Amino acid sequence: MKEESLAQKKDRLKNILARLKQAIPDPRTELAFHNPFELLVATVLSAQTTDLTVNRVTPELFARFPTPAALAEASLSELETILRPTGFFRRKAQHVKELAQALATRYQGVVPETMEELVTLPGVGRKTASVVLFHGFSRPAIFVDTHVGRVSKRLGLTESDDPERVERDLSELIPEKDWGIAASRLLLHGRRVCLARRPLCKTCPCTDLCPAFPTFASGPLRRERGGV
């Protein structure tokens, strides 16, 4: 693909997102939650595990500890037992307890609605904060996880592996009002189609707009197609 101007890249991304809208019309988060507090905790727990696994443990977690104040008083041993299936359960138990304590003492049990405040909470980085801002409060935000980062780089939307740089690059290409919905579609596209090791290019609606497609078409994809 030839070198693009910023305007050309914006136009290409607009076409990509239009196609992903057809493929993923309802790009809501796959984490189950009822309020911003539950979403915040679930997103912290989703590190290095699947949303499905998190969704299996959070009903019991929130049934026992439905508020930040209640979770702040939970014993680490009880939290570790509940969170064991998510992996790294000791660290996660410590994180969610400290997170709940911070919410209870600094924010009167209310999840803050700004990036600046959210990232001061234990275990909360920009990605987690952005997920909560968009899915919990309908605020404009771009969340960059491994899927969004991988898809963005393959599509030639960024040259960086640094999540904050990827976020800045995407923010220059996407209108602010569309940040969250675009990031959601890129994430789910990476999770379902543009896989890390063997991207499913045969089912991707964007191959003609993807600079990385020729690489996969002449490598793993060609082998999967029987050498065609």
Side-chain angles (χ1 to χ4, degrees):
M1 189 170 289
K2 296 180 180 179
E3 186 173 348
E4 296 173 296
S5 66
L6 181 61
Q8 289 172 325
K9 188 176 291 187
K10 286 182 177 181
D11 188 59
R12 182 167 61 88
L13 178 55
K14 183 178 179 180
N15 289 331
I16 289 169
L17 292 175
R19 295 183 191 184
L20 291 182
K21 182 178 180 179
Q22 294 296 315
I24 312 171
D26 185 21
R28 66 183 66 189
T29 178
E30 295 177 330
L31 289 170
F33 69 98
H34 297 96
N35 53 58
F37 168 61
E38 291 188 1
L39 175 60
L40 177 58
V41 172
T43 307
V44 169
L45 294 177
S46 70
Q48 298 178 293
T49 192
T50 66
D51 290 354
L52 182 63
T53 299
V54 174
N55 292 342
R56 286 202 296 262
V57 304
T58 50
E60 180 181 1
L61 179 68
F62 296 132
R64 295 194 192 185
F65 312 107
T67 66
L71 185 55
E73 295 298 322
S75 70
L76 283 175
S77 60
E78 188 171 10
L79 291 177
E80 288 171 1
T81 299
I82 297 171
L83 301 180
R84 182 179 291 271
T86 68
F88 303 96
F89 60 92
R90 291 189 178 87
R91 184 173 67 190
K92 289 181 179 180
Q94 186 70 43
H95 278 167
V96 297
K97 182 176 174 67
E98 292 175 352
L99 170 60
Q101 290 171 335
L103 287 173
T105 58
R106 286 157 40 192
Y107 296 103
Q108 295 72 54
V110 177
V111 177
E113 299 184 34
T114 68
M115 174 67 73
E116 293 73 20
E117 292 173 306
L118 283 166
V119 296
T120 67
L121 296 169
V124 178
R126 287 189 66 87
K127 188 269 288 187
T128 295
S130 294
V131 168
V132 173
L133 288 173
F134 178 65
H135 290 294
F137 296 114
S138 299
R139 302 286 180 85
I142 296 177
F143 30 91
V144 179
D145 68 350
T146 56
H147 302 295
V148 174
R150 178 177 67 256
V151 172
S152 298
K153 194 168 185 181
R154 285 178 177 172
L155 288 172
L157 307 176
T158 184
E159 296 181 354
S160 180
D161 294 312
D162 176 68
E164 291 193 26
R165 177 58 189 271
V166 176
E167 180 185 341
R168 289 196 298 271
D169 289 342
L170 292 177
S171 71
E172 292 179 357
L173 298 171
I174 303 169
E176 184 175 349
K177 65 181 179 63
D178 297 327
W179 282 357
I181 203 78
S184 296
R185 289 195 169 103
L186 291 172
L187 186 157
L188 292 174
H189 183 62
R191 185 175 286 177
R192 299 170 181 176
V193 177
C194 195
L195 308 180
R197 294 187 179 180
R198 283 187 174 270
L200 306 178
C201 298
K202 289 183 289 185
T203 62
C204 177
C206 305
T207 52
D208 59 316
L209 299 172
C210 177
F213 174 67
T215 299
F216 293 113
S218 62
L221 183 62
R222 179 175 294 276
R223 289 195 294 274
E224 288 175 11
R225 287 177 171 173
V228 176

